[in-house]
Amino acid sequence: MPQLVPFYFVNEITFTFVIITLMVYILSKYILPRFVRLFLSRTFISKLSDISKK
Amino acid sequence: MAARNAALKVDWAKITTSLGLRGQTAASLQAFKKRNDDARRKLQQLSELPTTVDFAAYRSTLKNQAIVNEIEKRFTSFKPATYDVNRQLKAIEAFEVEAIKNAEATKTKVDLELKDLEKTLTNIETARPFDELTVDEVAAAEPSIDEKTSKLVSKGRWSVPGYKERFGDLSVL
């Protein structure tokens, strides 16, 4: 298995860091804020519908 | 006389309802109407009173003719006092100007309120059920959602307070 061959270790570590950094950036910048916005609107709407049911 | 005829034609109840007067304007109008009614009633009562005096009857019944003569003399020489009503007229005109100004202010206010209410009514009539709304539409209607989002994101918090309690959590951890 090439993953366990020490010759490739530097490459693997480098790409792991790159991928993790990229994921953290994309998630925190684009994906997770959308979810927060969705959750907030869902909470707001459910409060509104509670009021209209009363 | 013309002013009196015009005053008789005024439909007070209609003025208040058709112009939609409220507050100070309506109260002032009511007070003015009361003054008008009182004055008219008083005039009616006074005009019904007799204005002639039968001095011959008094002369035949009273022994003291001098008194009757004196009273008759005073009565014939009496002239009703004339008042200068210009000041009152001016006050009335000023009141009228003020009332018109108030009425116009009330009208613009009522018009604005009506427009707002119509907007709300169309909003209510064209409203869709909650489950057909998109997040963008909800956020456009309630700007505080975007504000809260950016606040939570800037703090690095990805969970909304109160969300789990309301909708539950599927997380196994």
Side-chain angles (χ1 to χ4, degrees):
Chain A
M1 285 167 81
Q3 292 95 324
L4 298 175
V5 179
F7 177 76
Y8 295 108
F9 278 2
V10 175
N11 186 336
E12 278 174 35
I13 288 168
T14 313
F15 269 86
T16 310
F17 271 105
V18 168
I19 288 167
I20 286 176
T21 319
L22 213 68
M23 267 181 70
V24 166
Y25 178 76
I26 290 171
L27 278 170
S28 63
K29 185 84 179 169
Y30 300 104
I31 297 169
L32 288 174
R34 285 189 175 214
F35 277 93
V36 173
R37 196 164 175 244
L38 170 70
F39 290 169
L40 275 171
S41 10
R42 206 176 270 169
T43 322
F44 175 72
I45 281 184
S46 67
K47 272 181 198 164
L48 271 189
S49 79
D50 281 356
I51 291 168
S52 64
K53 270 176 200 166
K54 280 175 193 172
Chain B
M1 202 65 192
R4 205 175 147 202
N5 284 342
L8 284 172
K9 279 178 195 163
V10 174
D11 188 353
W12 298 95
K14 204 179 164 192
I15 288 177
T16 321
T17 50
S18 67
L19 293 179
L21 299 178
R22 276 185 305 175
Q24 200 202 337
T25 319
S28 304
L29 189 72
Q30 211 64 35
F32 184 67
K33 179 184 180 296
K34 198 173 165 288
R35 265 182 72 186
N36 181 25
D37 285 346
D38 287 348
R40 199 178 290 166
R41 204 175 309 121
K42 209 169 176 184
L43 181 70
Q44 181 73 23
Q45 281 172 2
L46 288 174
S47 62
E48 277 169 7
L49 290 177
T51 50
T52 53
V53 184
D54 190 4
F55 285 104
Y58 285 113
R59 235 179 237 120
S60 61
T61 46
L62 291 173
K63 282 180 188 169
N64 196 343
Q65 300 289 316
I67 281 189
V68 180
N69 286 340
E70 178 71 21
I71 291 173
E72 192 176 8
K73 207 174 84 191
R74 292 270 171 98
F75 182 76
T76 46
S77 65
F78 172 76
K79 270 182 195 159
T82 52
Y83 291 99
D84 187 13
V85 291
N86 275 336
R87 245 183 77 214
Q88 275 88 335
L89 283 178
K90 262 182 200 163
I92 288 169
E93 273 167 19
F95 175 82
E96 197 182 337
V97 169
E98 184 74 13
I100 288 171
K101 216 164 76 184
N102 270 344
E104 275 168 4
T106 315
K107 190 175 173 286
T108 44
K109 220 160 128 189
V110 167
D111 281 350
L112 277 179
E113 267 178 34
L114 266 181
K115 262 184 201 162
D116 199 39
L117 283 177
E118 271 170 17
K119 212 173 136 194
T120 315
L121 193 67
T122 41
N123 241 341
I124 291 169
E125 278 169 354
T126 57
R128 283 174 292 155
F130 290 130
D131 51 357
E132 283 178 22
L133 296 175
T134 63
V135 175
D136 285 334
E137 283 167 350
V138 177
E142 179 63 27
S144 75
I145 288 175
D146 281 342
E147 283 167 25
K148 271 187 194 168
T149 308
S150 53
K151 205 185 264 177
L152 287 173
V153 168
S154 68
K155 282 180 189 166
R157 290 175 58 190
W158 309 110
S159 60
V160 174
Y163 183 84
K164 261 188 208 173
E165 289 79 0
R166 191 175 273 270
F167 298 102
D169 191 7
L170 288 175
S171 170
V172 188
L173 297 172

